[in-house]
Amino acid sequence: MWRPTLQQSILMLQEGQWSSGRVGRRACPVTTLLSMEQSRGLMARAIAQSGAALHTLPDEPGRTVGRRLAERLGVEPTRAALALVEPAVVARAVRELVEDVQGTPDPVRWESLALTLTPFAPSVDGEVPAAHPLDAIRSGAGASVPLLTGWNRDEARFFMVASGAIDAVDDAALRHGARGYGLPDGGLEVYRRNRPGASPGDVLAAILGDWMFAVPAIRVAEARADPAVTRFVRDGDPGWGAHRPDDRRVGVLVDGVREETDPAGAERRAWDGVC
């Protein structure tokens, strides 16, 4: 089975060419690549949209995913066995496995993946990557690459509305889900207060979206605190100032772009010390 090299992986992420280099996007792959020593010099600029380097796949859930994927393919859960399967067949099995996790998030079958709904994510093995991506970024990895990062406000609804799960959430499930993501009871109340009249499913969708997409992007921005973002593609200005822990300016894209400082700050602070 063909497996891309690191350089080929970056080429697969590239969306177009500007000035002397290329821009990669897709948050988790991009920020993970930025965190790796092997990627040095291979990216000129990067856009990390929807999530970032915070979440990885722990060892046991990763092994569960490997076993389930191998079962679908009818092979042993080993690298050698998977390498003999045609890439198109693997891709189809991967898609079906993702649909299974997201459509029927059974904690007995999928363990912690029933909360994350993301069966495929970086798994730190000490080599590729050598360290947790966020730890590496905090230590300066990828600091020379200008980075533009962000998320969509209601992104988790893509998972919960399509599957119908949003309508199945009651108050007990909301509390259980919030605790599963590590959000303390006080944080849950912040989300409730900010959404008067919202259903438990709506509140849980907001919590899931922040845990999966918003907070990771914020943590990467905090780790870098890099003014180079304002010298982004073609030395252009994206329309707002750089995000720093002491000056949390962001660009909000609705009908055009407007600069805001720390929107939904109370909800952001609810995750401090959690992730």
Side-chain angles (χ1 to χ4, degrees), residues 159-250:
F159 303 100
M160 296 185 64
V161 173
S163 66
I166 196 166
D167 296 322
V169 177
D170 57 16
D171 285 334
L174 171 59
R175 289 192 298 272
H176 177 76
R179 289 170 183 163
Y181 295 122
L183 190 68
D185 290 342
L188 173 57
E189 292 311 310
V190 170
Y191 278 83
R192 286 184 184 273
R193 285 197 303 271
N194 288 348
R195 293 165 181 78
S199 72
D202 290 330
V203 177
L204 186 59
I207 291 170
L208 170 59
D210 284 354
W211 178 85
M212 183 176 289
F213 301 112
V215 175
I218 290 170
R219 295 294 178 255
V220 168
E222 290 171 342
R224 289 173 54 99
D226 183 4
V229 68
T230 60
R231 303 188 302 273
F232 202 63
V233 179
R234 291 180 178 170
D235 293 325
D237 187 336
W240 61 92
H243 183 99
R244 300 184 180 87
D246 61 346
D247 182 12
R248 296 181 178 274
R249 285 183 285 175
V250 300

Side-chain angles (χ1 to χ4, degrees), residues 113-154:
L113 299 178
L115 283 173
T116 67
L117 304 179
T118 308
F120 295 97
S123 183
V124 179
D125 64 1
E127 183 178 357
V128 182
H132 191 290
L134 187 57
D135 291 339
I137 290 171
R138 283 171 172 158
S139 297
S144 63
V145 179
L147 173 68
L148 186 66
T149 187
W151 66 94
N152 297 307
R153 186 187 63 184
D154 297 318

